[in-house]
Structures are given as C-alpha cells and as structure tokens.
Amino acid sequence: MRERSAAVKYIDEYRDGESGKRLLQSLRTKVSGGPCLRFMEVCGTHTVSVFRSGIRSALPEQIKLLSGPGCPVCVTAQRDIDKSIELAARPNTVLVTYGDMIKVPGTRANLQVERAKGADIRVVYSPADALGICEANPDKNVVFFGIGFETTTPPIALVVKEALRRNLVNFFLLSVHKVMPPPLEALLQEGVVAIDGLLLPGHVSTIIGARPYDFIAEKYCVPAVISGFEPLDILQSIHMLVDQIHESRAGIEIQYSRVVKPEGNRLAQKAVVEVFEACDANWRGLGVIPLSGLKLRAKYDRFDAEQAFDLDVGYSRDPAGCSCGEILRGAISPLECKLFANGCTPDHPIGPCMVSSEGTCAAYYLYGEWQKTGVE
Amino acid sequence: MCLGIPARIRSIGGGSQAEVELGGVVRGVDLTLVPEARIGDYVLVHVGFAIQLIDEGEALETLRLLQELAGCESGAPL
C-alpha cells in the first residue's frame, strides 16, 4: 500500500482544520445578530465540498446556502440524454462519454443498461481519448457526448480542431455544452428565489475571467465572489460576500486569485470562439435559455452529430415526481422532494441530481443530511 | 465536471504534451492552453488539459489573507 505522500501543494494548505475553525468562528462573530443571508453556490463542486468538509453543518444559522444550476450533468435536458441513448444503440456506433452520464436515466433507458445490452459505450477521462478511438475503429462512427460548462469547452474545441487536422471522417460531437452567465441572469431576472450573494464557479472563471459576470453586480446589485473549492477558499469567499453586504457594496470579486485572472485564459477563449458559436439551449429546470448553449461553427459542422444522424428519440419526458428542476433553481432543497430517499437513491437514481458526483441530491444523501433532519 | 487538480510539470515533450505529477501519480497532460508553462511549474489540470498556471505569489497572498481572517477577528492568537 502506498504511504500517504507529503503535503499536496496547492490543496492541503487550503484544507487546514484549525484555520477552518477560526474562520467559522470569525464568521459567526461577523453575522451575529444580523439577518439571514442566502447565498447561492452555483457550482455543484462547491455543494459537494461544503458537505464533505463539514462546513455545511458548522455555518452560523444566519448563512443559508442554496444550490444552483452549476452541474452540467444535472442540467442536461431529458431529450438530450435520450439522443445519446438513441445514438449508442445504433449499430457500428461507439458512444464516448464522461463517467457521470452513464447512469443518468433517460425517458426509457440509460447508457449503462444499453451497454449491458451490447452497445459500445466508452467512458473516458479526457475528450482527447475519442481521437484514438476513432483511429482504432475506422469502420465505426465515434460520437463524443459533449457535456460541460466553460471549463470543459476549450479542451473539446482543441479536440475538434485536431479531428479536422487529422481529417477524421468518423468523429462526431453531440454538443450539449452550455455557458454559465445566461442561467444566472435568468434566475436573477425571474427573482423568485431570493439571493443575497453568489459564490461563482472557480474553474469556469479560470477560463472566462470575471468580466462576464459584471451584470450581476451592475444590473442586479448582487454581490458575487469567484471562489476556489477547498474549505478555506469557500469560507473566505463567504466572508467576502458578507463584507460586501455589510459595506453596501456589490461587485465581482476574485477569491481564487491563484488561478483566476480578471481576463481569464485568453488562449482558451480563442479556441472556443474559433470552433463554437452560441445557440439557444434547453436546461433541465430552467427551460430554453437564449444563447446559453454552444454549437459547432460551419467550418466544423461535418462533426455535428445532430446534422450527421437523423435522430429520432420519440417523446421525452422528465421522470414523474422528480424535483430536479426546482432544486437546480435553488427553489427547494432535496429534502423537499417526495422521491428523495424514497425511491430515489444513488443506487437507484430517478433524476440526474442523484446520479452526478456534483449533484445536490447525491450530496445531501451521501453526507447524511436527511438522516439528521428527517425526511417527511 | 468542474474538477481541476493542481499538478507539477515534471517533463515537457513535443506536441504540447507534458508529464505532470500529482501526489506521486504521473500522468500526461496537454499544455496547448498554457504554452508558457515550464518544468517545475504547477498547472491546473482538467480532463487531461492544463487550463491555467498556478500563480505562487497569489497562492501565498491568499494564505496570508486567510491567516489574517482566522486570527484577528476571532480574537484568538495566530
């Protein structure tokens, strides 16, 4: 068995327990006697980190954290999942996907079941692996199921460019890529869920920088902090949000400055703009949001699976009783879903929020939130 | 999906390919998006691609601010 190696740089320092306790104590002091503050942690990875680190149960009662739509698996529309299943079931087709999508239930099936029935479905860590699969299987159509937000699109853009350079004729992309600022604007504009501040996704922001979020402060006067994912990052970000509120300020601040620059990664942005253009996209729980998705530009549309294949998925419907949509909008917590721990569990998920490693319901379930507070 | 892991570059090959080390595990990454990265630098890795250099100066500044936040306001000694 390998011994635990020396401290992992740029991770361990931001997990120090003693500092965490002190940050929580100083946060309690800061908000003591004040009103309840509702902060939305947009990114699913933040949700999980808050649970895993124990921050969630240690926060002062004045701070309430809401989950948001920042889980690309969870916000993939049912119809898009059905499309991937339809393609996977076709003969001479290899569907290449990230691991999380395997168990997400479609209207009639899921990729894991299709694989058991003989479909060629490959789970990869990197989209670059799809190119090797293409070359190893020249007689098959290799379709990459492209989900993800802005963190993931630059790698996929590079893969598409490489596919063109190698003149691959059997590489295809089913793009359900989405971008983060539009659903945030949709939520703020809708105004149904009261949000006093936003914890913005650190890795999306590594790519896009801070400027795309300016509307949050300028138009809606809501404070926002671009946060890292370790416990101390999140605690510092919450402090920064509270400070903005106490000082009656609203701005986009960067807590995660060790990787997020105000301008982001310009080279990555350039790659995306070269390969993709904005399009309307259907978000589970939020409906169609204009210009919130990405599709391949004309130069690359030979790789577009939607155009290359005559997809026929029949009707698509969300699972009956599933509240993923409301959970993704921060309107309710998983504990308020009738199916939570009552038919819908990580072993038998009904909706994507229970499947995804970043799903809110999975986090609530796995970290025992429901056992503490009870499920009605 | 938002998973990004800091990893140290141990070698750089042709075609923007590099080897990185994270906690004793060595794996390949693509450096196309961070061409200025050098051996010994730390990069943030997502789905097999480096997406940004980690700024050591900023990292230290964040730790300093965290110390300050943890120390002063709670009244506990640093």
Side-chain angles (χ1 to χ4, degrees), chain A residues 46-59:
Chain A
H46 277 140
T47 309
V48 172
S49 186
V50 162
F51 268 107
R52 186 185 290 142
S53 62
I55 287 178
R56 194 173 178 94
S57 51
L59 281 173

PDB file of all heavy atoms in Angstrom, chain A residues 46-59:
ATOM      1  N   HIS A  46     -18.860  23.009  -5.568  1.00  0.00           N
ATOM      2  CA  HIS A  46     -18.914  23.748  -4.305  1.00  0.00           C
ATOM      3  C   HIS A  46     -19.862  23.067  -3.330  1.00  0.00           C
ATOM      4  O   HIS A  46     -19.571  22.941  -2.144  1.00  0.00           O
ATOM      5  CB  HIS A  46     -19.388  25.202  -4.536  1.00  0.00           C
ATOM      6  CG  HIS A  46     -18.291  26.115  -4.966  1.00  0.00           C
ATOM      7  ND1 HIS A  46     -18.461  27.088  -5.916  1.00  0.00           N
ATOM      8  CD2 HIS A  46     -17.006  26.223  -4.549  1.00  0.00           C
ATOM      9  CE1 HIS A  46     -17.327  27.741  -6.079  1.00  0.00           C
ATOM     10  NE2 HIS A  46     -16.419  27.237  -5.271  1.00  0.00           N
ATOM     11  N   THR A  47     -21.021  22.639  -3.848  1.00  0.00           N
ATOM     12  CA  THR A  47     -22.008  21.960  -2.997  1.00  0.00           C
ATOM     13  C   THR A  47     -21.366  20.768  -2.299  1.00  0.00           C
ATOM     14  O   THR A  47     -21.502  20.572  -1.090  1.00  0.00           O
ATOM     15  CB  THR A  47     -23.206  21.470  -3.841  1.00  0.00           C
ATOM     16  OG1 THR A  47     -23.697  22.534  -4.635  1.00  0.00           O
ATOM     17  CG2 THR A  47     -24.319  20.931  -2.953  1.00  0.00           C
ATOM     18  N   VAL A  48     -20.678  19.966  -3.093  1.00  0.00           N
ATOM     19  CA  VAL A  48     -20.057  18.754  -2.539  1.00  0.00           C
ATOM     20  C   VAL A  48     -18.971  19.124  -1.528  1.00  0.00           C
ATOM     21  O   VAL A  48     -18.877  18.527  -0.454  1.00  0.00           O
ATOM     22  CB  VAL A  48     -19.486  17.892  -3.678  1.00  0.00           C
ATOM     23  CG1 VAL A  48     -18.671  16.739  -3.125  1.00  0.00           C
ATOM     24  CG2 VAL A  48     -20.614  17.347  -4.550  1.00  0.00           C
ATOM     25  N   SER A  49     -18.165  20.109  -1.859  1.00  0.00           N
ATOM     26  CA  SER A  49     -17.063  20.493  -0.977  1.00  0.00           C
ATOM     27  C   SER A  49     -17.579  21.002   0.367  1.00  0.00           C
ATOM     28  O   SER A  49     -17.015  20.705   1.420  1.00  0.00           O
ATOM     29  CB  SER A  49     -16.220  21.568  -1.666  1.00  0.00           C
ATOM     30  OG  SER A  49     -15.076  21.862  -0.902  1.00  0.00           O
ATOM     31  N   VAL A  50     -18.674  21.761   0.309  1.00  0.00           N
ATOM     32  CA  VAL A  50     -19.278  22.295   1.528  1.00  0.00           C
ATOM     33  C   VAL A  50     -19.751  21.161   2.438  1.00  0.00           C
ATOM     34  O   VAL A  50     -19.571  21.196   3.655  1.00  0.00           O
ATOM     35  CB  VAL A  50     -20.448  23.244   1.155  1.00  0.00           C
ATOM     36  CG1 VAL A  50     -21.373  23.472   2.319  1.00  0.00           C
ATOM     37  CG2 VAL A  50     -19.905  24.560   0.649  1.00  0.00           C
ATOM     38  N   PHE A  51     -20.306  20.129   1.845  1.00  0.00           N
ATOM     39  CA  PHE A  51     -20.746  18.968   2.624  1.00  0.00           C
ATOM     40  C   PHE A  51     -19.562  18.182   3.146  1.00  0.00           C
ATOM     41  O   PHE A  51     -19.460  17.884   4.329  1.00  0.00           O
ATOM     42  CB  PHE A  51     -21.581  18.030   1.749  1.00  0.00           C
ATOM     43  CG  PHE A  51     -23.043  18.302   1.789  1.00  0.00           C
ATOM     44  CD1 PHE A  51     -23.682  18.893   0.722  1.00  0.00           C
ATOM     45  CD2 PHE A  51     -23.798  17.951   2.906  1.00  0.00           C
ATOM     46  CE1 PHE A  51     -25.045  19.138   0.757  1.00  0.00           C
ATOM     47  CE2 PHE A  51     -25.154  18.187   2.949  1.00  0.00           C
ATOM     48  CZ  PHE A  51     -25.786  18.786   1.872  1.00  0.00           C
ATOM     49  N   ARG A  52     -18.659  17.835   2.217  1.00  0.00           N
ATOM     50  CA  ARG A  52     -17.563  16.915   2.551  1.00  0.00           C
ATOM     51  C   ARG A  52     -16.677  17.481   3.653  1.00  0.00           C
ATOM     52  O   ARG A  52     -16.172  16.774   4.503  1.00  0.00           O
ATOM     53  CB  ARG A  52     -16.737  16.635   1.295  1.00  0.00           C
ATOM     54  CG  ARG A  52     -15.661  15.582   1.533  1.00  0.00           C
ATOM     55  CD  ARG A  52     -14.771  15.387   0.330  1.00  0.00           C
ATOM     56  NE  ARG A  52     -15.464  14.747  -0.766  1.00  0.00           N
ATOM     57  CZ  ARG A  52     -15.287  15.060  -2.044  1.00  0.00           C
ATOM     58  NH1 ARG A  52     -14.443  16.013  -2.388  1.00  0.00           N
ATOM     59  NH2 ARG A  52     -15.946  14.417  -2.974  1.00  0.00           N
ATOM     60  N   SER A  53     -16.491  18.790   3.630  1.00  0.00           N
ATOM     61  CA  SER A  53     -15.588  19.419   4.598  1.00  0.00           C
ATOM     62  C   SER A  53     -16.253  19.613   5.947  1.00  0.00           C
ATOM     63  O   SER A  53     -15.592  19.954   6.913  1.00  0.00           O
ATOM     64  CB  SER A  53     -15.139  20.778   4.066  1.00  0.00           C
ATOM     65  OG  SER A  53     -16.281  21.606   3.912  1.00  0.00           O
ATOM     66  N   GLY A  54     -17.570  19.449   5.997  1.00  0.00           N
ATOM     67  CA  GLY A  54     -18.269  19.684   7.257  1.00  0.00           C
ATOM     68  C   GLY A  54     -18.664  21.136   7.459  1.00  0.00           C
ATOM     69  O   GLY A  54     -19.263  21.489   8.478  1.00  0.00           O
ATOM     70  N   ILE A  55     -18.339  21.976   6.475  1.00  0.00           N
ATOM     71  CA  ILE A  55     -18.679  23.400   6.605  1.00  0.00           C
ATOM     72  C   ILE A  55     -20.181  23.561   6.767  1.00  0.00           C
ATOM     73  O   ILE A  55     -20.671  24.367   7.562  1.00  0.00           O
ATOM     74  CB  ILE A  55     -18.226  24.198   5.357  1.00  0.00           C
ATOM     75  CG1 ILE A  55     -16.713  24.363   5.340  1.00  0.00           C
ATOM     76  CG2 ILE A  55     -18.872  25.586   5.330  1.00  0.00           C
ATOM     77  CD1 ILE A  55     -16.215  25.093   4.113  1.00  0.00           C
ATOM     78  N   ARG A  56     -20.925  22.787   5.993  1.00  0.00           N
ATOM     79  CA  ARG A  56     -22.359  22.981   5.933  1.00  0.00           C
ATOM     80  C   ARG A  56     -23.019  22.966   7.304  1.00  0.00           C
ATOM     81  O   ARG A  56     -23.848  23.810   7.624  1.00  0.00           O
ATOM     82  CB  ARG A  56     -23.002  21.924   5.036  1.00  0.00           C
ATOM     83  CG  ARG A  56     -24.393  22.316   4.714  1.00  0.00           C
ATOM     84  CD  ARG A  56     -25.052  21.434   3.702  1.00  0.00           C
ATOM     85  NE  ARG A  56     -26.401  21.936   3.555  1.00  0.00           N
ATOM     86  CZ  ARG A  56     -26.765  22.805   2.621  1.00  0.00           C
ATOM     87  NH1 ARG A  56     -25.898  23.209   1.722  1.00  0.00           N
ATOM     88  NH2 ARG A  56     -28.002  23.243   2.577  1.00  0.00           N
ATOM     89  N   SER A  57     -22.630  21.971   8.118  1.00  0.00           N
ATOM     90  CA  SER A  57     -23.289  21.861   9.426  1.00  0.00           C
ATOM     91  C   SER A  57     -22.683  22.825  10.441  1.00  0.00           C
ATOM     92  O   SER A  57     -23.229  23.012  11.523  1.00  0.00           O
ATOM     93  CB  SER A  57     -23.192  20.422   9.936  1.00  0.00           C
ATOM     94  OG  SER A  57     -21.856  19.993   9.861  1.00  0.00           O
ATOM     95  N   ALA A  58     -21.563  23.454  10.092  1.00  0.00           N
ATOM     96  CA  ALA A  58     -20.884  24.333  11.049  1.00  0.00           C
ATOM     97  C   ALA A  58     -21.143  25.812  10.786  1.00  0.00           C
ATOM     98  O   ALA A  58     -20.736  26.669  11.574  1.00  0.00           O
ATOM     99  CB  ALA A  58     -19.381  24.067  11.011  1.00  0.00           C
ATOM    100  N   LEU A  59     -21.807  26.122   9.668  1.00  0.00           N
ATOM    101  CA  LEU A  59     -22.056  27.525   9.352  1.00  0.00           C
ATOM    102  C   LEU A  59     -22.994  28.151  10.382  1.00  0.00           C
ATOM    103  O   LEU A  59     -23.882  27.474  10.902  1.00  0.00           O
ATOM    104  CB  LEU A  59     -22.709  27.653   7.972  1.00  0.00           C
ATOM    105  CG  LEU A  59     -21.795  27.547   6.760  1.00  0.00           C
ATOM    106  CD1 LEU A  59     -22.615  27.518   5.488  1.00  0.00           C
ATOM    107  CD2 LEU A  59     -20.814  28.729   6.712  1.00  0.00           C
TER     108      LEU A  59
END
